[in-house]
Amino acid sequence: MTQNSKIYAPNVYLFAYHLCKLPETESISPGESTKLWEKCNEILQTKLAVGKAFNGSYLPKKDEPLGWRVELINKQVVGGRNSLAFAKDISFDNQQINLKGFAQPLRIDDSYALGLQIRVPEKVNNIKTPAVDVTIFKEFNPENCLLPDFVQSYFGQTLLITAWLSVEQNQAAREDSQFLKGLAQQCLEKLISGDNLPNFYRQGELFGSPILEYGDPNRQDTDYNIIVWFFNSSATEEIWDETRYSDFVELFLYRNKILRAYRDTRKLYRVISEEYKQIELNIDATFNYLRQDEAQQQQLKGAGLKEEELERLERQTIEMPPRAVKYARLLMQLEFRQNTIAINAKNYQDKLYQISLDLKSRKKYNESECDLSFLELFSKETSPQFQAQIKGDLGYFSHGTGLLDKAMEAIRGVVAIEEAYRDAKLEVTIQAVGFGLGVAGVVAGSSPYLIKQDPPNQVIALPFLKVGINSFVLVLLISIGAGVVVWSLVMLGANFKNIRAKFK
């Protein structure tokens, strides 16, 4: 072990967030709302084995029917009656180390927040504790119990590592710009077992001390972030210890809500994109089914649609409206998450503004110690990028709604025209049959004047036939023939009218 791998008073904070009540649109399993507390109990009792748990001392409140006493964060301070302190002695590096910490359930509006701290105290019995090697972090996270796969909080989580740098380490950091990054990497590798390490994202300063962040929020394969904060200024510790813990609980909540909403939009993007593609394919298939070369189109205009073509179009008028409703609901979900990001981005900015005013009002910190640019980057760059991306997605996919509306309108128009054409054709046919029957009746009524029937039903010899025919049968044939001729003339006239209208 080298001197540069030793750190003083290391701390690990877990900030995890869960909904008090899941949205109605999402299914909820029994005990889901208390899942965060149950996971914390499991960490304390099973993983850390500190022999403490949330128990009956947390009296139920009227608005907490599930039996957990959870205070609103603006009424709660660290170390208050609602925090659970614990301690544990371990043997490490040939010495006895006393680990301490606390677990604190909080409530912020519609969300539960868990603040869990594990640390090596700076002093024990007023005696300064020795620096420890970074391998101590293995004791803080047995079996990766502090990672998302185990905690499973709805809004995700943030891990914060803090430690004091020695004089030698501060000197090394001034001489080598990569020193702190290497030391932070060692801390992560000892804290997290396996290959589930987030990638380095950025480095800066906060309250006058260097800070590094791991886990790029723009990457979809990153479901949590870790912050490594090395204290090298007494002002940093003073600011952190006074009131900033509760501010960070809120800041990380708003940040994680934004990240959760944005990752949900990426999932929605894939679903909507596939639905949009299927809508286009379906519409193209429908109209390609009817699209033929120009001569065939002209022929269809005169002859109308085939029965199977009309049935297919009628099915589309039934199937498309539910699809349009489903598509509109997907876009509404995208807009809902866009609003969620906007609201929490505003909350994040407001909280930063409050912190800034508070620090400046004390008039005992210099400008670099009041600088919040490391935290402001998320609200000034990352969150606006998310909102711009979602705005672009909505702009693109909104065309799908218009496409469906126009397709349904066009299909209904084709169906209506075809049905009107068929109704008109049926009406002409009925009129032609009526004319034919009328003429046949007239001819039959005029038969006494056309054929001599004395005596009645006599056999009449036809010059073009070698046989005779009964006069009644002859009258019947003449009347039928006259009716057929008139029917044919009426139908021919109607078709000729349609042809002329077609070529106008």
Side-chain angles (χ1 to χ4, degrees), residues 44-312:
L44 295 174
Q45 293 182 302
T46 305
K47 305 301 181 182
L48 296 177
V50 296
K52 292 290 186 74
F54 294 131
N55 51 42
S57 64
Y58 296 89
L59 302 175
K61 294 174 63 178
K62 291 181 180 179
D63 60 344
E64 298 292 341
L66 297 171
W68 298 93
R69 187 185 182 92
V70 182
E71 301 288 350
L72 291 174
I73 192 169
N74 58 5
K75 299 179 181 178
Q76 185 65 43
V77 294
V78 177
R81 61 176 181 171
N82 201 31
S83 62
L84 175 68
F86 60 85
K88 176 185 179 182
D89 291 326
I90 63 170
S91 177
F92 175 77
D93 198 17
N94 297 322
Q95 58 182 323
Q96 288 296 113
I97 300 294
N98 180 247
L99 294 182
K100 290 188 176 182
F102 67 85
Q104 186 174 32
L106 300 169
R107 180 173 176 176
I108 309 173
D109 298 326
D110 64 344
S111 305
Y112 287 141
L114 170 65
L116 175 64
Q117 181 204 42
I118 309 167
R119 64 189 174 94
V120 175
E122 295 182 29
K123 293 181 179 180
V124 175
N125 298 325
N126 291 323
I127 300 174
K128 187 176 180 179
T129 58
V132 294
D133 190 78
V134 293
T135 54
I136 189 71
F137 284 116
K138 290 182 178 180
E139 304 292 335
F140 292 12
N141 186 33
E143 300 179 24
N144 287 338
C145 64
L146 302 183
L147 297 191
D149 287 344
F150 183 82
V151 180
Q152 298 178 4
S153 52
Y154 182 85
F155 288 123
Q157 65 179 66
T158 296
L159 281 173
L160 172 63
I161 298 173
T162 67
W164 276 91
L165 296 176
S166 66
V167 175
E168 293 79 10
Q169 288 170 332
N170 277 311
Q171 181 63 32
R174 285 191 290 269
E175 295 174 354
D176 181 3
S177 61
Q178 297 298 311
F179 173 77
L180 290 181
K181 186 176 178 181
L183 182 59
Q185 187 69 25
Q186 290 182 57
C187 295
L188 291 185
E189 291 174 354
K190 301 306 178 184
L191 180 69
I192 300 172
S193 58
D195 300 325
N196 193 25
L197 290 175
N199 296 320
F200 174 77
Y201 176 43
R202 62 192 177 108
Q203 181 176 347
E205 279 196 2
L206 182 62
F207 303 153
S209 290
I211 189 169
L212 302 92
E213 183 175 356
Y214 292 79
D216 186 347
N218 295 286
R219 293 182 54 172
Q220 297 306 302
D221 57 351
T222 302
D223 58 357
Y224 72 109
N225 75 309
I226 298 180
I227 296 174
V228 182
W229 195 4
F230 293 119
F231 290 177
N232 63 3
S233 167
S234 58
T236 305
E237 184 181 37
E238 183 180 343
I239 294 171
W240 174 251
D241 287 343
E242 284 180 350
T243 57
R244 296 285 71 83
Y245 171 82
S246 60
D247 291 328
F248 270 68
V249 173
E250 284 195 75
L251 277 177
F252 289 146
L253 170 63
Y254 302 140
R255 183 184 190 278
N256 279 279
K257 278 188 171 183
I258 291 171
L259 292 176
R260 167 68 194 241
Y262 183 67
R263 289 176 184 135
D264 285 348
T265 65
R266 298 308 88 200
K267 296 176 184 177
L268 278 170
Y269 176 87
R270 292 189 287 271
V271 175
I272 297 173
S273 179
E274 184 61 30
E275 187 67 18
Y276 185 83
K277 185 188 301 181
Q278 292 302 318
I279 287 171
E280 285 187 321
L281 291 174
N282 183 258
I283 291 174
D284 288 343
T286 299
F287 287 98
N288 284 336
Y289 182 73
L290 300 176
R291 189 178 295 121
Q292 300 180 24
D293 59 35
E294 186 66 25
Q296 290 174 320
Q297 289 181 21
Q298 294 296 330
Q299 183 180 0
L300 283 175
K301 287 180 181 179
L305 297 177
K306 298 178 182 178
E307 189 63 33
E308 62 268 21
E309 293 172 341
L310 181 60
E311 290 177 357
R312 179 166 180 162

